[in-house]
Amino acid sequence: MSVTSPRGFTAAGVTAGLKPSGTPDLALVLNTGPHRAAAGVFTSNRVQAAPVVWSRQVLTDRSLQAVILNSGGANACTGPDGFADTHHTAEQVAAALQSAGHDTGAIDVAVCSTGLIGVRLPMDKITAAIPGLVDGLAVEGGAAAARAIMTTDTVVKQATVVRDGWSVGGMAKGAAMLAPGLATMLVVITTDAVVDPAGLHDQLLAATAVSFDRVDSDGCMSTNDTVLVLSSGASGVTPEPAALTTALTEVCTDLALQLVADAEGSSHTITIDVVNAASVVDAVEVGKSIARNNLFKCAVFGNDPNWGRVLSAVGTTTAAFEPDRLDVSFNGVQVCRSGGIGEPRELVDLTGREVSVVVDLHAGDRQARVWTTDLTYDYVRENAEYST
Amino acid sequence: MSVTSPRGFTAAGVTAGLKPSGTPDLALVLNTGPHRAAAGVFTSNRVQAAPVVWSRQVLTDRSLQAVILNSGGANACTGPDGFADTHHTAEQVAAALQSAGHDTGAIDVAVCSTGLIGVRLPMDKITAAIPGLVDGLAVEGGAAAARAIMTTDTVVKQATVVRDGWSVGGMAKGAAMLAPGLATMLVVITTDAVVDPAGLHDQLLAATAVSFDRVDSDGCMSTNDTVLVLSSGASGVTPEPAALTTALTEVCTDLALQLVADAEGSSHTITIDVVNAASVVDAVEVGKSIARNNLFKCAVFGNDPNWGRVLSAVGTTTAAFEPDRLDVSFNGVQVCRSGGIGEPRELVDLTGREVSVVVDLHAGDRQARVWTTDLTYDYVRENAEYST
């Protein structure tokens, strides 16, 4: 149930002292081979943190041996000095791994950071912690690594899928995009399958497109979001590309739902299914428009099946639909029928955590699912008090 | 200081009993001529309330004699029956005005509604109140009309600009887009200037584009938003078109700022100036991206000059800029310089209501100003508890 479940991986997590809380804050995942194929998907924010810029660069050869991740500081908007810090971190990890007998260069090491923007990392603490981090690498270290990347997460987030002779594991941090400090989402996925390095990026992209990309808690986009996949090939099994994509998608979806379930300050997990759309693009646009609508999210917090706010959100999209054909259901009760009043809203019970909203566009036969959370007092408090 | 400040207008406001609170909820503005030129700007939401559909139709001849406005119900998503209610309301106003000696047909009467979506209006109460509303029409009635359109507004919103021999007056309701129930914004503007009916719509559009369209409290878009302008020509003065546009813009900006200042649940009014942009379109896109960023808005609520969240919002836009050239100031303190750390954030005092954020894109010489408010506990409470 971790990044070290697939063969060919070790991991570790330690406390470097980056966080005032004194909880673990530095993690390392090592691919012990025999292969090193890797791929990454990063934030599309044009303001990108130094570790994102670095990790993109080192992935140009579609190969990685290790990933170091820190909580306690995003190293974003820190200029050339911040980039030098990231570079230096990778160099130090490579040096420590070399001392431990590995054939590692800085360009084999991806770096991920999460925390407050605009603050330099305390490099002395990271430098001091790296040797111990490498010493601690172990097949049993997956959970420790997953714990060290937590920020406001309340639970460790890991997932594994096991196939015939090969498997995929993963860990994630981020209280969805609802978390404070821009809520960076960091994800490391591992597999012992033998993969085609040239195809791995597209497979990862296909997996994230229907999982992490469908989680939209507040429309905010981090400067640090990173999803990496590392393949050791240690199983010796070469699955069909489609089978690998499916397994990656399962792990990503599992982790994405764990992010939503742990979204800071949320009291409801909302699953929005947009059905009978003219295209998947339309369905996603409509789903995200609802997911980002603050008035809708406040209504769910108040256990109110306010379909008028749903229709209003749908009305801001470019999707194909006729307003007088829209149906909306909350937890199975069709409170809006043909764009007007449907079943009595009193029939809807929204007191549980799980809320299902189904929007029928009556415009085609495509669909998409988007997950979000409600907008609560705790969301405001978390995000108002974080950096002060 | 009202819609009846310009010559040629009367108005009234009464309590029809549409609101449980028992406060005034039905308003009428009458253009007594000699001219009837009019124009309107409406919500761009594709889900449009019945009164919006009706008012668009009756404005096709660029002429209006009266506007009836109700709070206590939006008459949105109410289907053909809801449209019939709007039509019937206009007919009853026309009949009552005919009885009072006016030459009025239903197509001379615009209708505006605000309140909860998906609920039929109690037409019996509206029908019963219309004769008294018409009887009460008076040159002194502007304030009463402005009071009757309030929902969660805490103050009456009116404005006037006086020029040499002619003037423009206006009233508005709506606690910006922050208010509950989709926060419909209803605005009626009057002028006694002699205007060119063919040009009035474009002049109104120019005025709203830099005022109401620049207020973005939560990115939500109502099904009922309406801005109407009525011209009586009673001054006999024909101003230059540009002079009329300027006066309309002044009244619209005055009212827009009153909306922001009274935004429900807000504790800060935030003015975002995006300067040195490559185009006004770029500047507006950047300004609105910041204005809609929940994390930024929560930070301001917490008196935190979190420039990282500003940069993150800028980074999601398509505007021309280089991340390492961005400057951000909060209340005059440049906390972010060249995309990195600037003056100490401790120098910024955000304890007052007014907050100024200036973003310098260093990409051109155009600029735009956008207004928004912070995201607070009270916003969540207002919008979670409204319809339950």
Side-chain angles (χ1 to χ4, degrees):
Chain A
M1 271 299 289
S2 76
V3 287
T4 50
S5 296
R7 280 159 288 181
F9 293 94
T10 56
V14 299
T15 302
L18 307 176
K19 292 194 290 199
S21 62
T23 51
D25 48 23
L26 200 61
L28 184 64
V29 177
L30 178 69
N31 178 353
T32 57
H35 300 156
R36 291 186 183 181
V41 173
F42 301 91
T43 180
S44 56
N45 200 307
R46 292 166 62 194
V47 176
Q48 306 205 335
V52 169
V53 175
W54 170 263
S55 296
R56 278 184 193 281
Q57 286 182 1
V58 300
L59 270 169
T60 51
D61 65 355
R62 296 168 175 164
S63 164
L64 277 183
Q65 193 179 9
V67 185
I68 184 167
L69 311 94
N70 76 274
S71 50
N75 197 9
C77 304
T78 45
D81 291 340
F83 187 79
D85 290 343
T86 291
H87 187 183
H88 197 47
T89 301
E91 286 181 328
Q92 290 176 313
V93 170
L97 287 171
Q98 284 169 14
S99 299
H102 296 281
D103 172 27
T104 315
I107 66 154
D108 302 314
V109 182
V111 180
C112 300
S113 300
T114 177
L116 192 63
I117 289 179
V119 179
R120 293 280 300 278
L121 288 172
M123 284 304 293
D124 54 334
K125 295 181 178 175
I126 292 176
T127 298
I130 283 174
L133 189 65
V134 170
D135 283 348
L137 283 169
V139 170
E140 302 76 27
R147 198 173 306 119
I149 61 175
M150 291 167 64
T151 49
T152 57
D153 306 69
T154 63
V155 293
V156 170
K157 298 173 182 75
Q158 301 183 100
T160 313
V161 302
V162 179
R163 296 293 196 249
D164 188 16
W166 59 281
S167 63
V168 177
M171 66 178 187
K173 71 79 37 179
M177 275 163 288
L178 271 171
L182 286 170
T184 293
M185 179 183 72
L186 300 183
V187 180
V188 177
I189 296 166
T190 56
T191 181
D192 51 17
V194 178
V195 308
D196 170 18
L200 191 58
H201 183 264
D202 284 349
Q203 292 174 305
L204 180 63
L205 212 55
T208 57
V210 295
S211 55
F212 298 115
D213 286 354
R214 296 284 175 86
V215 175
D216 197 328
S217 289
D218 59 6
C220 297
M221 191 191 291
S222 164
T223 52
N224 289 54
D225 287 340
T226 300
V227 182
L228 299 173
V229 58
L230 287 73
S231 163
S232 69
S235 71
V237 179
T238 307
E240 287 295 315
L244 180 62
T245 300
T246 300
L248 290 173
T249 302
E250 286 181 24
V251 166
C252 287
T253 303
D254 189 339
L255 291 171
L257 290 177
Q258 291 182 50
L259 294 178
V260 175
D262 194 31
E264 278 299 327
S266 70
S267 68
H268 291 86
T269 294
I270 309 170
T271 303
I272 302 168
D273 286 301
V274 181
V275 302
N276 295 322
S279 67
V280 171
V281 169
D282 273 12
V284 171
E285 184 192 1
V286 168
K288 290 199 169 182
S289 176
I290 298 166
R292 291 177 183 175
N293 188 285
N294 280 354
L295 296 174
F296 162 75
K297 292 154 78 79
C298 286
V300 174
F301 173 52
N303 298 330
D304 171 20
N306 196 316
W307 58 267
R309 295 178 184 179
V310 174
L311 255 59
S312 177
V314 176
T316 64
T317 71
T318 61
F321 72 87
E322 293 300 326
D324 59 2
R325 296 197 63 197
L326 296 171
D327 297 331
V328 180
S329 297
F330 277 77
N331 284 355
V333 180
Q334 197 178 66
V335 285
C336 169
R337 188 170 298 144
S338 302
I341 304 161
E343 297 295 314
R345 60 174 73 206
E346 291 73 21
L347 298 179
V348 182
D349 179 5
L350 296 182
T351 54
R353 179 166 179 98
E354 301 295 327
V355 172
S356 160
V357 177
V358 179
V359 178
D360 192 330
L361 297 180
H362 291 288
D365 60 2
R366 310 312 295 264
Q367 55 190 335
R369 173 171 285 186
V370 170
W371 296 280
T372 189
T373 52
D374 53 352
L375 180 50
T376 69
Y377 299 135
D378 284 345
Y379 174 91
V380 175
R381 178 166 54 242
E382 286 279 344
N383 291 297
E385 295 180 355
Y386 184 55
S387 72
T388 53
Chain B
M1 271 299 289
S2 76
V3 287
T4 49
S5 294
R7 281 159 287 182
F9 294 93
T10 57
V14 299
T15 301
L18 308 176
K19 294 194 290 197
S21 63
T23 50
D25 47 25
L26 200 61
L28 184 64
V29 178
L30 178 69
N31 178 353
T32 56
H35 299 156
R36 292 186 181 180
V41 173
F42 301 91
T43 180
S44 56
N45 200 307
R46 292 166 61 196
V47 176
Q48 306 205 334
V52 169
V53 175
W54 169 263
S55 296
R56 279 184 193 280
Q57 285 183 1
V58 300
L59 269 168
T60 50
D61 66 353
R62 295 169 176 163
S63 164
L64 277 183
Q65 192 179 10
V67 185
I68 182 165
L69 311 94
N70 76 273
S71 50
N75 197 7
C77 305
T78 44
D81 290 341
F83 187 79
D85 289 344
T86 293
H87 186 183
H88 198 47
T89 301
E91 286 180 328
Q92 289 176 313
V93 170
L97 287 171
Q98 283 169 16
S99 299
H102 296 282
D103 171 27
T104 314
I107 65 155
D108 301 314
V109 182
V111 180
C112 300
S113 300
T114 177
L116 192 62
I117 288 179
V119 179
R120 294 278 301 279
L121 289 171
M123 285 303 295
D124 54 334
K125 294 179 179 176
I126 292 177
T127 298
I130 284 175
L133 190 65
V134 170
D135 283 348
L137 284 169
V139 170
E140 302 77 25
R147 198 173 306 117
I149 60 174
M150 290 167 65
T151 50
T152 56
D153 307 69
T154 63
V155 293
V156 169
K157 299 173 181 72
Q158 302 183 98
T160 313
V161 302
V162 178
R163 296 293 195 251
D164 188 16
W166 58 282
S167 64
V168 177
M171 67 178 185
K173 71 76 42 178
M177 277 163 287
L178 269 171
L182 287 169
T184 294
M185 180 184 72
L186 300 182
V187 180
V188 177
I189 296 167
T190 54
T191 181
D192 51 17
V194 177
V195 308
D196 170 19
L200 190 59
H201 182 262
D202 284 350
Q203 291 174 306
L204 179 63
L205 211 56
T208 59
V210 295
S211 55
F212 298 115
D213 287 353
R214 296 285 176 85
V215 174
D216 197 327
S217 288
D218 60 6
C220 297
M221 190 191 290
S222 164
T223 52
N224 290 54
D225 287 339
T226 300
V227 181
L228 299 173
V229 57
L230 287 73
S231 163
S232 68
S235 71
V237 179
T238 306
E240 287 295 315
L244 179 62
T245 299
T246 299
L248 290 173
T249 302
E250 285 181 25
V251 166
C252 287
T253 303
D254 189 337
L255 291 172
L257 290 176
Q258 291 183 50
L259 293 179
V260 175
D262 194 31
E264 277 299 327
S266 70
S267 68
H268 290 87
T269 294
I270 309 170
T271 303
I272 303 168
D273 286 300
V274 181
V275 303
N276 295 323
S279 67
V280 171
V281 169
D282 273 11
V284 171
E285 184 192 0
V286 168
K288 290 199 170 183
S289 177
I290 299 166
R292 290 177 183 176
N293 189 285
N294 280 353
L295 296 173
F296 162 75
K297 292 154 78 79
C298 285
V300 173
F301 172 52
N303 296 331
D304 171 20
N306 196 316
W307 57 268
R309 296 179 182 178
V310 174
L311 255 58
S312 178
V314 176
T316 64
T317 70
T318 61
F321 72 88
E322 292 299 325
D324 61 359
R325 296 196 66 196
L326 296 171
D327 296 331
V328 180
S329 297
F330 276 77
N331 283 357
V333 180
Q334 197 176 67
V335 286
C336 169
R337 186 171 299 143
S338 303
I341 304 161
E343 297 294 315
R345 58 175 72 205
E346 292 72 23
L347 298 179
V348 181
D349 179 5
L350 296 184
T351 53
R353 178 165 179 99
E354 301 295 327
V355 172
S356 160
V357 176
V358 179
V359 178
D360 192 330
L361 297 181
H362 292 288
D365 60 1
R366 311 310 295 264
Q367 56 190 335
R369 172 171 286 187
V370 170
W371 297 280
T372 188
T373 53
D374 53 353
L375 179 51
T376 69
Y377 299 135
D378 284 346
Y379 174 90
V380 175
R381 179 166 53 244
E382 286 278 346
N383 291 298
E385 295 180 355
Y386 183 53
S387 71
T388 52

